[in-house]
Amino acid sequence: MGFRKDFLWGGAIAANQYEGAWNVDNRGLSVSDIARYQPNVDVKDYKKQVAVNTETIQQAIGDETDTHYPKRRGIDGYHYYKEDIELFAKMGFKTLRFSIAWSRLFPQGDEVTPNQAGIEHYKKVIKALKAHNIEPLVTLSHYEMPLNLSLKYNGWASKQVIDDFVKFSKVCFESFNDVKYWLTFNEIDSVTRHPFTSAGIIPDKSKNLEQDEYQALHNQFVASAMATKLCHEIIPGSQVGCMLTKLTTYPATAKPEDVLASLNINLMNYYCADVQSKGKYPKLVLQFFKKNNIELAMTDDELTIIHDNTVDFISFSYYMSLLAAGDESGLEMTSGNTIVGGKNPYLQSTEWGWTVDPTGLRISLVELYDRYEKPLFIVENGMGSRDILEPNHQIHDQYRIDYFRAHLSEMKKAVDSGVDLLGYTSWAPIDLVSASTSQMSKRYGFIYVDLDDEGNGSGKRYIKDSFNWYKNVIATNGADL
Ligand code: BG6
């Protein structure tokens, strides 16, 4: 009983929210450099927070500063990575999940040869991790496609991008061949929620946005399968995972119409993992395309590649749960993880509208393991909160400890019931720029970073109370929560 002996405890970050150094060492512009901090837009209004169009993109390209674009500065992890890794090591991390910024290796996305400076940077990061016995868990694509590919082809809507991604992946596998664990696309299902961030699709360039989104997903499935094949060939013993946003949805009531509505939403939430894990499209999803006049360009060869190169494990993010109803008119809606759904009256929610539901994590683990019968990996879980930096640089974040304790207890119960879980990486072990709102004040870390939403501050790192709590969790392999 309890967690496996080699359970991978750690944390997860992404290049575009962590590194900064957006124009250093030949890095090219990425879609994340367009994300503007918008203090006057409601933080719960994700659609508005992440909305872009051709005009705002051009405006961002014309602005060569990071003043309005916090992801360009991140938390300067590009220069702080050694100190940060030392802090992660102090917590006893067994793994660190991080992403490789595509536009550091291929600034425009379609060069023939990679930018050596980019490769050297990640070699140093991996070396620093290995020196502390921290296993790298690398995401190839985490909301940071080279902007040029978005402008030139409307991103993943075009098949052209598949080859560029596979070339990038191959360089990663060859250059970082001591990395065992890989993820292809972060929250792949998010293409239909924020197509620009996830797939470089500029909505006003699409004639049929819905069609482009599902085509982009298909193209990503093909690219993911090709990368999986290459990874297995280049790095013997490597393991590749898919990554989905686990948006657990309950029926609002026991009314059969509500149960049906939640069933349908969950089926669509699962479909990307279905394709990547089972190697084929679910029949119900093909029927959904037919009914909605979505005609995807897919060849027999592509379907064979998808079929023959399924993932080794299923990874997912879990933040919250939602409600669905046959008739949504009576339902109070809440935001969360870039989606809007019914608010559960039994759950508390945060200032950003995300419900807190530890039992939902256990439900998700059981559902996923039963559905795929492959090892699972929780690669994101955490709660955005405002923290107070006390005059003596202490941060008393009991609320964060409570959140993690509740979630890890439910995770333990799922493992005890037989779920095969490889590891757990919190989002994020260190405060960084929010993906959806570009705020710094939405903090997730065990480590505080002295920067505000406008980028003012020393950038210094301070340990929160939760740091020592998590350190003890890891030291006892989850026995003492
Ligand atoms: C996930 C993303 O959706 O949620 C992360 O993979 C993101 O990149 C995390 O940071 C939390 O979301 P936010 O908007 O609070 O940063």
Side-chain angles (χ1 to χ4, degrees), residues 98 145 247 254 288 314 359 450:
F98 64 97
M145 160 180 248
L247 292 162
F288 164 85
I314 314 291
T359 310
D450 181 25

Side-chain angles (χ1 to χ4, degrees), residues 14 17 46 97 142-143 186-187 243 245 317 319 337 354 380 427 432-437 442 444:
Q17 295 165 259
Y46 291 106
R97 174 180 174 227
H142 193 131
Y143 304 162
N186 179 64
E187 295 189 336
M243 198 302 200
T245 329
S317 63
Y319 290 94
N337 212 240
W354 299 29
E380 283 187 35
W427 184 272
L432 34 65
V433 178
S434 157
S436 54
T437 64
K442 188 182 188 189
Y444 284 88

Side-chain angles (χ1 to χ4, degrees), residues 2 39 70 116 146 164 189 206 235 238 282 299 371 374 388:
Q116 205 53 39
D164 293 319
D189 48 290
S206 280
I235 314 175
S238 58
T299 66
R371 191 176 185 97
K374 286 190 183 184
I388 298 169

Side-chain angles (χ1 to χ4, degrees), residues 20-54:
W22 67 295
N23 52 6
V24 173
D25 290 340
N26 312 320
R27 178 184 173 286
L29 277 179
S30 100
V31 292
S32 61
D33 297 316
I34 305 304
R36 194 181 167 106
Y37 170 54
Q38 308 183 83
N40 300 323
V41 174
D42 180 0
V43 292
K44 290 184 187 160
D45 192 341
Y46 291 106
K47 287 263 174 236
K48 266 204 191 134
Q49 284 283 351
V50 299
V52 293
N53 57 45
T54 302

Side-chain angles (χ1 to χ4, degrees), residues 240-361:
V240 184
C242 59
M243 198 302 200
L244 87 144
T245 329
K246 186 68 183 76
L247 292 162
T248 304
T249 304
Y250 308 132
T253 70
K255 247 203 260 165
E257 290 78 5
D258 294 354
V259 176
L260 184 64
S262 75
L263 177 71
N264 284 333
I265 288 178
N266 285 321
L267 285 178
M268 286 312 279
N269 179 227
Y270 279 129
Y271 108 80
C272 297
D274 287 345
V275 177
Q276 292 180 287
S277 178
K278 298 180 178 180
K280 58 182 177 100
Y281 275 88
K283 286 185 180 154
L284 295 177
V285 171
L286 293 175
Q287 182 61 18
F288 164 85
F289 291 156
K290 221 174 176 178
K291 271 184 78 178
N292 290 279
N293 299 319
I294 296 164
E295 282 174 33
L296 300 188
M298 45 169 106
T299 66
D300 287 346
D301 280 355
E302 289 171 351
L303 293 176
T304 305
I305 290 168
I306 290 172
H307 177 265
D308 292 349
N309 299 285
T310 54
V311 291
D312 304 303
F313 64 94
I314 314 291
S315 82
F316 64 101
S317 63
Y318 175 82
Y319 290 94
M320 51 168 310
S321 61
L322 300 159
L323 295 185
D327 172 9
E328 284 187 345
S329 57
L331 212 55
E332 188 193 337
M333 302 306 269
T334 184
S335 302
N337 212 240
T338 59
I339 197 157
V340 175
K343 182 172 167 10
N344 191 328
Y346 298 101
L347 302 175
Q348 300 288 322
S349 48
T350 71
E351 179 184 332
W352 288 266
W354 299 29
T355 53
V356 177
D357 179 13
T359 310
L361 176 59

Side-chain angles (χ1 to χ4, degrees), residues 55-129:
E55 199 187 322
T56 56
I57 293 171
Q58 288 309 329
Q59 218 173 46
I61 295 172
D63 186 340
E64 291 179 5
T65 72
D66 62 18
T67 313
H68 304 294
Y69 304 95
K71 288 177 190 164
R72 295 182 181 186
R73 50 181 186 262
I75 56 162
D76 200 18
Y78 192 73
H79 298 110
Y80 269 95
Y81 72 92
K82 270 197 194 145
E83 289 90 332
D84 292 342
I85 289 173
E86 269 166 33
L87 287 171
F88 300 149
K90 273 194 185 149
M91 267 187 283
F93 274 27
K94 312 286 181 212
T95 189
L96 179 73
R97 174 180 174 227
F98 64 97
S99 67
I100 292 182
W102 187 352
S103 69
R104 276 200 198 286
L105 268 57
F106 290 92
Q108 301 300 314
D110 53 6
E111 293 90 343
V112 179
T113 50
N115 169 34
Q116 205 53 39
I119 296 180
E120 290 314 314
H121 173 71
Y122 293 106
K123 279 195 170 161
K124 285 189 275 176
V125 172
I126 291 166
K127 196 171 161 201
L129 289 170

